[in-house]
Amino acid sequence: MAEVCFTPRAYCKIILHAAKYPHCAVNGLLLCDKANKKDAKNKSLVIVDAVPLFHVCLHLSPMAEVALTQVDSLAGQQGMRLAGYYTANETLDDMSIEKPATKIADKIAETYSSAHLVVVDNRRLSLTMEDAALKVMHSVEGKWKVMDPEEYSVERECMDTTAVLLHGHADKGLIDFDNHLDDISNDWTNPHINKAIDSILQQIRNLK
């Protein structure tokens, strides 16, 4: 069993965020169910959702603190918790992790030891989404180490759903926290994207 699994909702939002701003670095938060505790009995962490944060100034500390507080509060009300951090770099081949990114991931790991850090592999982004475009890391003795691909799972339906969304230009309608700060009527929980993901996923499953 994979150590970390991504649901279609989480995976789609991560990729849509990177696709919407191909000229920018982006970041966001990962959520899991509060009841999902990775231990000896339950070795798999399921990332159930992702919250797109910034594309303008990724590590602007005051805004990052506001976002973390708001997301953590709402997630708690919905039976979820912060479970990690994701980022996509500006250039195609850049898979590095900047120190401010690890600081945010470290902050999450302080309260949730199973937290993970994810980097989008821009080289694998395409309209067909043939491969999982993620590099996943976990904290080992206080340092973020890259996991082997067999240690995390992105099911085929995640990539198929993302491909349909990209073909329909759903990335243009994704709302991140920067968009919300520009206009507070913009809902960073992206209910319209959630609805589209659920609908496409059901259609894919019906074809099986």
Side-chain angles (χ1 to χ4, degrees):
M1 181 182 290
E3 185 177 331
V4 186
C5 301
F6 292 83
T7 65
R9 180 174 291 191
Y11 184 78
C12 287
K13 287 184 182 177
I14 294 170
I15 302 303
L16 290 179
H17 196 199
K20 182 176 181 180
Y21 300 105
H23 56 291
C24 300
V26 302
N27 67 358
L29 300 171
L30 306 174
L31 304 178
C32 72
D33 289 331
K34 277 186 177 180
N36 189 179
K37 294 183 178 180
K38 193 175 66 175
D39 51 30
K41 294 181 180 178
N42 182 21
K43 295 184 178 180
S44 186
L45 171 68
V46 180
I47 303 299
V48 298
D49 206 349
V51 178
L53 291 185
F54 303 114
H55 66 272
V56 176
C57 188
L58 269 57
H59 310 302
L60 186 62
S61 186
M63 289 300 96
E65 289 290 343
V66 169
L68 281 167
T69 299
Q70 288 197 21
V71 175
D72 190 36
S73 176
L74 185 60
Q77 295 172 27
Q78 297 178 347
M80 295 182 289
R81 66 176 303 148
L82 295 178
Y85 173 90
Y86 75 83
T87 186
N89 291 313
E90 186 174 354
T91 56
L92 186 67
D93 296 324
D94 187 359
M95 296 292 290
S96 64
I97 297 293
E98 295 181 358
K99 191 172 182 179
T102 60
K103 282 188 175 181
I104 296 176
D106 287 340
K107 184 177 180 65
I108 296 170
E110 287 175 4
T111 56
Y112 188 60
S113 61
S114 296
H116 284 68
L117 175 58
V118 171
V119 183
V120 175
D121 187 346
N122 293 321
R123 299 166 298 182
R124 296 178 181 270
L125 296 182
S126 71
L127 287 176
T128 55
M129 292 302 302
E130 295 297 326
D131 302 303
L134 302 179
K135 179 172 75 172
V136 184
M137 304 179 188
H138 58 171
S139 182
V140 179
E141 297 180 351
K143 295 183 178 180
W144 294 98
K145 303 291 185 182
V146 178
M147 299 172 65
D148 293 331
E150 61 267 20
E151 293 182 296
Y152 57 90
S153 172
V154 179
E155 297 295 333
R156 181 71 250 173
E157 65 181 17
C158 294
M159 291 172 278
D160 289 343
T161 303
T162 304
V164 174
L165 289 166
L166 289 173
H167 275 283
H169 304 291
D171 53 300
K172 308 304 180 188
L174 185 83
I175 302 298
D176 66 10
F177 210 80
D178 266 331
N179 301 140
H180 173 71
L181 292 174
D182 289 339
D183 180 352
I184 60 171
S185 67
N186 288 325
D187 188 349
W188 52 263
T189 65
N190 288 284
H192 58 298
I193 297 292
N194 293 339
K195 185 177 180 179
I197 292 170
D198 292 344
S199 176
I200 294 167
L201 186 60
Q202 188 59 55
Q203 292 175 44
I204 290 172
R205 289 173 176 172
N206 288 342
L207 293 174
K208 293 181 179 179

